[in-house]
Amino acid sequence: AQTVTQSQPEMSVQEAETVTLSCTYDTSESNYYLFWYKQPPSRQMILVIRQEAYKQQNATENRFSVNFQKAAKSFSLKISDSQLGDTAMYFCAFMKRDSGGSNYKLTFGKGTLLTVNP
Amino acid sequence: NAGVTQTPKFRILKIGQSMTLQCAQDMNHNYMYWYRQDPGMGLKLIYYSVGAGITDKGEVPNGYNVSRSTTEDFPLRLELAAPSQTSVYFCASSYYEYEQYFGPGTRLTVT
């Protein structure tokens, strides 16, 4: 079974600064996806960024980027130029990718509450 | 395009009561999922469906039932509500395996 660990229950950052959220995972699989989801106070789960394990290049989406270290099983999220609207719970998640394409199940970490201060 | 919708938004149940949480999507996605989120935790998969008429258990299926008679709808049934089922329930759907769209959630309290 896969496990996802987020070791930082809470973090805070000043507006316009950069912050990095940590995530480690444990799996024996070689083919998988990793995700960061954002959950603001509205509770809506929003996909922030996705990384495919076979790709060496780190994914980026505007102000969000990841540092994917496959050997170390580490997947951190960097948020640049933090904005007040980035205040949310952030979840790291893992999905095994079967060759048959039939496994679509997400395994989530416990989350990191990020507060962006003005 | 409403995406994934869930009803109700909030519900309080007494122990032993039954209810159905509704989930619908208008994106013609084959894959649909039910998750629960307990306080301070990430989401855990209850049931999922890969198409109409096909469902399978996730990580925490006990106490729940599902059916999928149409592509659009994936209701979750609680037969005998227990306090341990107090949680926030999320429905999600996807076309590609790597892009699940979530509904707004249903907050359920069992007392």
Side-chain angles (χ1 to χ4, degrees):
Chain A
Q2 287 68 232
T3 59
V4 177
T5 302
Q6 294 178 249
S7 58
Q8 305 151 314
E10 294 187 38
M11 294 190 71
S12 62
V13 65
Q14 292 299 120
E15 197 175 6
E17 292 187 347
T18 295
V19 63
T20 298
L21 308 184
S22 301
C23 173
T24 58
Y25 58 95
D26 187 24
T27 185
S28 58
E29 304 292 332
S30 60
N31 199 4
Y32 51 87
Y33 294 104
L34 292 163
F35 307 84
W36 279 99
Y37 279 88
K38 169 184 177 181
Q39 187 178 41
S42 66
R43 284 206 321 254
Q44 184 81 41
M45 292 290 287
I46 302 165
L47 178 63
V48 175
I49 201 165
R50 177 184 70 244
Q51 175 79 40
E52 297 174 51
Y54 71 88
K55 290 187 176 179
Q56 292 187 342
Q57 187 173 5
N58 289 323
T60 62
E61 286 287 343
N62 301 313
R63 297 183 295 106
F64 299 88
S65 62
V66 299
N67 184 3
F68 173 47
Q69 302 288 329
K70 190 172 184 179
K73 297 180 182 174
S74 170
F75 183 60
S76 61
L77 174 70
K78 185 172 82 171
I79 305 174
S80 304
D81 185 25
S82 297
Q83 300 175 0
L84 296 179
D86 295 334
T87 292
M89 184 72 83
Y90 287 82
F91 291 96
C92 180
F94 173 100
M95 177 187 287
K96 185 174 73 168
R97 189 179 185 190
D98 284 340
S99 57
S102 62
N103 187 322
Y104 297 75
K105 294 177 276 190
L106 284 165
T107 300
F108 286 84
K110 292 186 178 181
T112 296
L113 178 61
L114 176 67
T115 302
V116 180
N117 298 309
Chain B
N1 204 344
V4 180
T5 57
Q6 293 183 237
T7 55
K9 287 186 168 53
F10 304 93
R11 182 73 185 268
I12 298 174
L13 279 182
K14 295 190 184 304
I15 294 171
Q17 286 185 323
S18 302
M19 77 163 295
T20 299
L21 281 67
Q22 300 292 343
C23 174
Q25 52 90 9
D26 61 359
M27 297 174 282
N28 203 32
H29 289 168
N30 281 330
Y31 304 95
M32 296 188 75
Y33 318 81
W34 274 106
Y35 294 90
R36 61 177 285 173
Q37 184 180 28
D38 298 329
M41 303 291 285
L43 280 66
K44 292 187 177 180
L45 184 66
I46 305 171
Y47 271 95
Y48 68 102
S49 170
V50 300
I54 306 169
T55 62
D56 205 351
K57 296 178 181 178
E59 186 181 357
V60 289
N62 291 342
Y64 307 95
N65 279 301
V66 294
S67 59
R68 183 99 181 269
S69 56
T70 67
T71 299
E72 295 78 19
D73 301 299
F74 190 41
L76 177 71
R77 179 85 177 159
L78 283 71
E79 290 295 349
L80 292 169
S84 61
Q85 293 177 304
T86 293
S87 191
V88 180
Y89 291 83
F90 289 95
C91 179
S93 72
S94 68
Y95 181 83
Y96 296 110
E97 57 186 352
Y98 50 75
E99 196 161 12
Q100 293 187 17
Y101 294 86
F102 285 81
T106 294
R107 184 179 293 276
L108 176 68
T109 302
V110 181
T111 61

